[in-house]
């Protein structure tokens, strides 16, 4: 037994006794470093509820050890079991699993007496906290290596079929880039070689024992743990020339049942990809909230993984509309607001459309702030005919270097990328975020959205971006509310692709909540109802619903100063109708002027029952 490693300890839950063990130089059948649990170490008497189903092989091994007497009831610790002799396990994690009766990362949980984790004593190139990786192996030159090699033999691999013998020890990324450029020059394109360098560098240098590994096969997600260093061999058909030992759970998780955000990350088109951003979602697979809560409540254990899994499991919710919101936006019925909320929940995209002045933008912002919990979760952008993908999402723009004052073109984020990045931050994923697009129909939507059109409909997928070349997915907690002025472009001209991705809700002076909005506002402000009567009379004379006038023109304080109503009618409303009737020979003043409308209102009042 080597003396180069200290004794490692593992405290049982809730301040229980301490198990002891040592890391061995000896390797198991798949190349993992073995670990010895010392005789007389305490062992948890029970297991967590998910353990038998999540890790059936480890659970079966633990039960056999108990049946064979290697683990028996402890005389020293009556509520625990105890090892009766030294037990050699295939890895530190396998040993921790036996002792704790649950899934465990032994590289972090076995620690020295002065609290240094076992991983600190390994001479590996990887450093820092544990990461989570995706490695694809279900179709390597026509074979499913996951089922054929990885699961049965405890491996994970990349083909590296043309890579020369790079020897043992670390290889820098620059050296690896040179090797790949030479070895793959005739078989891969330039961009393919760049991606291969990143993937090989991750597999060789960034991965380390204790990291979580994921792969997909036959519609199932399998999760395991890296348990050793990379080795280069000559394999059958050159399908797995670079290998690492790994311990896999034999239980898979159906892909279609995975959290949507995890599906996004798993859809990236790379053979090796860093999934650390969703590590908490992976850690929580197969474990109940109650189980995670119980483990996280242990004050003597490192519960960071369980706490992160619980935070990631917080469900996204859109709050139900309240009576206060109804009063704030002056709609006629709370059920109408509930329908907007439900449409957003179902589709995540919504367009409010109608003629000018119907309060579309105001309602969109108020609704977004209420559902998102405040203005910090809301970003507004206005489209116009010159608006482009580069403005909206990302593109090269001139930027001055603050030190050299030289100007260079750099990839710059647009408003959608900014709000998406904010929504996807850890701790924000259960909080709704909103992008409000004002005048959404004034831009060339196919040009502005580009490949993002696909993501609006498929939130569980990712796409490769045009400029940065990175994989991107729209966060599931990002909602889009657009406004559309039907006087600029009829809704009938909106293309089918947009119609399929957005729900459309009309705000029209003909129907509620718009038709009674001005009258409700006047009542709340304690003003005379004449402006509402005039607006109703005006819209009754406009036959085209897309050119009817919305109440917002008359919901400003300036309208109610001396001469304000006449001034607003003359400078705001009549010019709008002059444009509508351009070339028709209609006298807008005679048909829509205040004098004419007031005469109509007076005449109507005189004909009402009970009038004198």
């Amino acid at each position: 037994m080597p003396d180069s490693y200290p004794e490692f300890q593992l405290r049982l839950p809730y301040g229980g006794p301490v198990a002891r063990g040592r890391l061995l130089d000896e390797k198991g059948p798949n190349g993992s470093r073995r670990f010895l649990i010392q005789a007389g170490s305490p062992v948890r008497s029970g297991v967590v509820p998910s353990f038998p189903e999540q890790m059936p092989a480890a659970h079966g091994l633990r039960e056999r050890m108990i049946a064979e007497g290697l683990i028996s009831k402890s005389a020293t610790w009556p509520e625990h079991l105890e090892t009766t002799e030294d037990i050699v396990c295939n890895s530190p994690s396998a040993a921790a699993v036996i002792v704790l009766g649950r899934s465990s990362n032994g590289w972090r949980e076995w620690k020295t007496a002065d609290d240094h984790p076992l991983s600190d004593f390994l001479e590996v190139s990887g450093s820092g906290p544990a990461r989570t990786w995706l490695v694809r192996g279900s179709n390597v030159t026509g074979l499913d290596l996951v089922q054929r090699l990885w699961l049965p033999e405890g491996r994970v691999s990349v083909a590296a079929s043309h890579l020369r013998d790079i020897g043992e020890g670390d290889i820098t990324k620059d050296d690896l880039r040179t090797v790949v450029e030479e070895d793959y020059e005739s078989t891969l394109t330039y961009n393919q070689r760049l991606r291969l360098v990143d993937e090989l560098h991750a597999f060789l240098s960034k991965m380390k024992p204790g990291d979580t590994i994921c792969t997909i096969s036959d519609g199932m997600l399998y999760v395991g743990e890296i348990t050793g260093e990379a080795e280069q061999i000559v394999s059958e058909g050159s399908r797995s020339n670079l290998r690492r030992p790994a311990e896999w759970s034999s239980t898979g998780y159906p892909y279609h049942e995975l959290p949507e955000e995890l599906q996004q990350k798993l859809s990236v088109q790379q053979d090796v990809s860093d999934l650390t951003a969703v590590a908490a979602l992976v850690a929580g697979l197969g474990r109940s909230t109650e189980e995670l809560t119980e483990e996280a409540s242990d004050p003597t254990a490192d519960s960071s993984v369980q706490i992160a899994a619980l935070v990631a499991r917080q469900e996204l919710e859109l709050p139900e509309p309240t009576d206060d919101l109804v009063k704030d936006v002056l709609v006629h019925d709370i059920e109408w607001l509930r329908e907007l909320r439900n449409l957003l929940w179902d589709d995540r995209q919504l367009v409010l459309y109608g003629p000018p002045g119907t309060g579309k933008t105001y309602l969109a912002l108020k609704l977004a702030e209420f559902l998102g919990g405040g203005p910090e979760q809301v970003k507004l952008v206005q489209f116009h005919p010159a608006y482009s993908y580069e403005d909206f999402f990302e593109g090269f723009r001139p930027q001055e270097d603050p030190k050299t004052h030289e100007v260079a073109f750099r990839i710059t984020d647009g408003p959608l990328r900014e709000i998406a990045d904010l929504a996807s931050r850890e701790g924000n994923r259960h909080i709704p975020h909103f992008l409000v697009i004002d005048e959404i129909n004034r831009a060339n939507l196919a040009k502005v959205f580009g490949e993002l059109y696909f993501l609006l409909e498929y939130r569980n997928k990712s796409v490769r971006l045009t400029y940065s070349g990175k994989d991107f997915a729209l966060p599931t907690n990002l909602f889009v509310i657009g406004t559309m002025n039907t006087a600029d472009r009829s809704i009938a001209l909106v293309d089918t692709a947009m119609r399929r991705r957005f729900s459309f809700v009309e705000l029209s002076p003909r129907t509620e909540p718009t038709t009674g909005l001005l009258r409700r506002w006047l009542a709340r402000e304690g003003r005379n109802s004449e402006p509402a009567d005039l607006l109703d009379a005006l819209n009754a004379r406009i036959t085209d619903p897309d050119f009817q006038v919305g109440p917002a023109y008359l919901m400003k304080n300036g309208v109610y100063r001396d001469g304000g109503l006449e001034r607003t009618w003359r400078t705001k409303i009549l010019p709008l109708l002059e444009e509508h009737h351009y070339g028709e020979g209609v006298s807008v003043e005679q048909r829509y002027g205040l004098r004419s409308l007031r005469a109509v209102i007076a005449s109507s009042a005189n004909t009402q029952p009970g009038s004198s």
Side-chain angles (χ1 to χ4, degrees):
M1 186 178 299
D3 297 325
S4 55
Y5 300 108
E7 179 185 80
F8 293 101
Q9 302 177 353
L10 179 59
R11 184 172 293 278
L12 271 63
Y14 302 103
V18 175
R20 290 175 167 79
R22 302 189 72 90
L23 183 67
L24 307 179
D25 279 333
E26 177 188 352
K27 293 185 178 182
N30 67 346
S32 301
R33 295 286 295 277
R34 285 181 160 165
F35 190 90
L36 180 146
I37 308 172
Q38 293 180 6
S41 290
V43 174
R44 188 176 182 178
S45 59
V47 298
V48 299
S50 67
F51 184 56
E53 183 176 349
Q54 188 183 27
M55 307 186 72
H59 178 260
L61 176 61
R62 188 178 191 272
E63 291 297 303
R64 286 196 300 275
M65 289 180 178
I66 295 173
E68 294 170 4
L70 298 176
I71 300 174
S72 63
K73 187 172 180 61
S74 173
T76 308
W77 305 286
E79 295 183 359
H80 296 83
L81 304 176
E82 182 179 336
T83 57
T84 58
E85 58 182 80
D86 290 348
I87 296 177
V88 176
C89 301
N90 281 333
S91 73
S93 289
V97 164
I98 295 298
V99 171
L100 296 176
R102 62 168 172 81
S103 61
S104 173
N105 189 325
W107 310 92
R108 293 201 306 265
E109 299 206 47
W110 286 105
K111 297 179 180 180
T112 60
D114 52 356
D115 210 37
H116 290 288
L118 185 154
S119 58
D120 287 355
F121 296 85
L122 299 178
E123 296 180 0
V124 295
S125 54
S127 60
R131 297 185 179 185
T132 299
W133 302 92
L134 167 68
V135 182
R136 298 190 184 279
S138 61
N139 185 12
V140 182
T141 59
L143 288 183
D144 185 348
L145 293 187
V146 177
Q147 304 295 334
R148 181 169 177 167
L149 173 69
W150 295 6
L151 298 183
E153 295 187 15
R155 302 281 185 182
V156 62
S157 63
V158 292
S161 52
H162 297 283
L163 190 69
R164 71 186 67 172
D165 186 351
I166 56 176
E168 296 183 358
D170 295 343
I171 180 171
T172 67
K173 192 171 185 179
D174 284 339
D175 290 340
L176 187 60
R177 185 178 294 110
T178 301
V179 170
V180 169
E181 284 294 326
E182 294 177 358
D183 294 356
Y184 288 85
E185 182 179 8
S186 61
T187 58
L188 297 179
T189 66
Y190 174 74
N191 286 331
Q192 288 173 331
R193 293 197 297 273
L194 288 180
R195 287 197 294 272
L196 180 61
V197 170
D198 289 337
E199 292 170 359
L200 293 178
H201 182 250
F203 193 86
L204 290 168
S205 302
K206 291 185 176 181
M207 286 185 189
K208 60 184 181 297
D211 282 0
T212 299
I213 191 78
C214 300
T215 196
I216 303 169
S217 174
D218 292 336
M220 304 291 284
L221 175 70
Y222 292 92
V223 180
E225 181 183 276
I226 300 293
T227 57
E229 293 303 298
E231 62 175 348
Q232 187 174 15
I233 66 169
V234 177
S235 64
E236 177 189 357
S238 295
R239 293 184 176 93
S240 58
N241 288 358
L242 284 179
R243 297 183 177 185
R244 278 182 178 270
E247 289 182 351
W248 293 98
S249 171
S250 57
T251 302
Y253 305 96
Y255 184 89
H256 68 278
E257 295 179 5
L258 299 175
E260 201 169 39
E261 189 175 355
L262 180 54
Q263 291 186 38
Q264 289 178 347
K265 295 295 184 182
L266 293 171
S267 69
V268 298
Q269 298 304 305
Q270 294 173 249
D271 287 338
V272 180
S273 178
D274 193 337
L275 297 182
T276 305
V278 290
L281 293 174
V282 176
L285 292 174
R287 305 167 75 179
S288 68
T289 300
E290 292 74 16
E291 183 179 314
L292 291 170
T293 302
E294 181 181 348
E295 293 176 19
S297 64
D298 183 0
T300 62
D302 179 3
S303 304
S304 56
V305 173
Q306 290 84 353
I307 293 172
L310 286 169
V311 172
R313 192 169 285 187
Q314 294 184 73
E315 292 187 2
L316 174 67
E317 292 183 356
L318 289 181
E320 288 288 337
T322 63
D323 291 335
D324 288 340
L325 180 63
V326 172
K327 294 175 183 177
D328 193 18
V329 297
L330 290 171
V331 300
H332 62 300
D333 186 7
I334 195 172
E335 289 301 324
W336 188 82
L337 288 176
R338 285 199 180 104
E339 183 176 81
L340 294 191
R341 180 257 181 208
N342 292 338
L343 288 172
L344 280 168
W345 183 250
D346 292 339
D347 298 332
R348 292 189 173 92
Q349 289 93 226
L350 173 71
V351 167
L352 302 175
Y353 70 95
T358 48
K360 300 179 292 295
T361 304
Y362 176 84
L363 178 61
L365 288 171
K366 284 290 186 180
L367 187 64
E369 289 177 8
F370 173 82
L371 296 176
E376 299 84 2
Q377 282 73 248
V378 181
K379 181 177 281 291
L380 173 70
V381 61
Q382 188 175 65
F383 280 6
H384 53 76
Y387 210 72
S388 67
Y389 174 93
E390 292 77 8
D391 300 315
F392 186 48
F393 189 71
E394 68 174 16
F396 285 101
R397 299 177 198 167
Q399 289 188 357
E400 183 182 36
D401 189 300
K403 294 182 179 179
T404 65
H405 300 291
E406 294 180 351
V407 176
F409 282 88
R410 295 183 176 89
I411 293 179
T412 306
D413 292 343
L416 176 57
R417 186 65 188 265
E418 290 174 347
I419 190 70
D421 288 348
L422 178 63
S424 61
R425 286 181 189 172
E426 192 170 358
N428 280 356
R429 294 168 187 159
H430 66 287
I431 300 173
H433 288 67
F434 286 82
L435 178 67
V436 176
I437 305 176
D438 199 30
E439 306 285 5
I440 192 172
N441 56 321
R442 296 188 66 206
N444 183 333
L445 296 181
K447 178 181 177 182
V448 171
F449 279 95
E451 69 270 17
L452 305 177
Y453 241 176
F454 172 81
L455 297 181
L456 289 173
E457 186 172 9
Y458 297 98
R459 291 294 185 99
N460 63 338
K461 302 290 185 181
S462 63
V463 296
R464 184 66 56 85
L465 296 175
T466 302
Y467 284 94
S468 64
K470 297 178 180 178
D471 290 289
F472 175 80
L474 281 177
T476 57
N477 60 328
L478 178 60
F479 299 83
V480 180
I481 302 178
T483 70
M484 178 181 291
N485 188 341
T486 53
D488 286 343
R489 183 188 299 179
S490 170
I491 189 174
L493 299 180
V494 176
D495 65 30
T496 305
M498 183 177 177
R499 282 181 175 277
R500 192 172 69 248
R501 289 163 172 81
F502 287 79
S503 294
F504 286 78
V505 175
E506 183 180 21
L507 292 179
S508 169
R510 299 172 298 167
T511 59
E512 288 286 16
T514 309
T515 185
L517 180 61
L518 178 58
R519 201 171 298 278
R520 289 189 291 271
W521 182 80
L522 291 169
R524 188 181 72 179
E525 300 297 312
R527 300 187 186 278
N528 187 280
S529 64
E530 186 199 23
D533 297 333
L534 289 168
L535 186 64
D536 289 345
L538 172 68
N539 284 327
R541 291 190 166 195
I542 301 173
T543 57
D544 187 341
D546 287 338
F547 283 88
Q548 290 185 334
V549 178
Y553 289 99
L554 303 177
M555 295 173 67
K556 300 176 181 178
N557 290 331
V559 176
Y560 301 94
R561 292 197 294 265
D562 288 344
L565 179 61
E566 287 75 13
R567 187 166 51 250
T568 299
W569 212 269
R570 185 179 68 254
T571 62
K572 302 281 188 181
I573 294 176
L574 292 183
L576 191 69
L577 297 169
E578 285 276 9
E579 180 182 354
H580 175 49
H581 289 291
Y582 180 77
E584 296 180 5
V586 174
S587 173
V588 171
E589 176 64 38
Q590 290 181 5
R591 186 168 182 175
Y592 303 115
L594 284 178
R595 179 181 299 178
S596 174
L597 294 176
R598 281 172 172 151
V600 170
I601 293 171
S603 174
S604 175
N606 290 333
T607 60
Q608 293 294 322
S611 60
S612 56

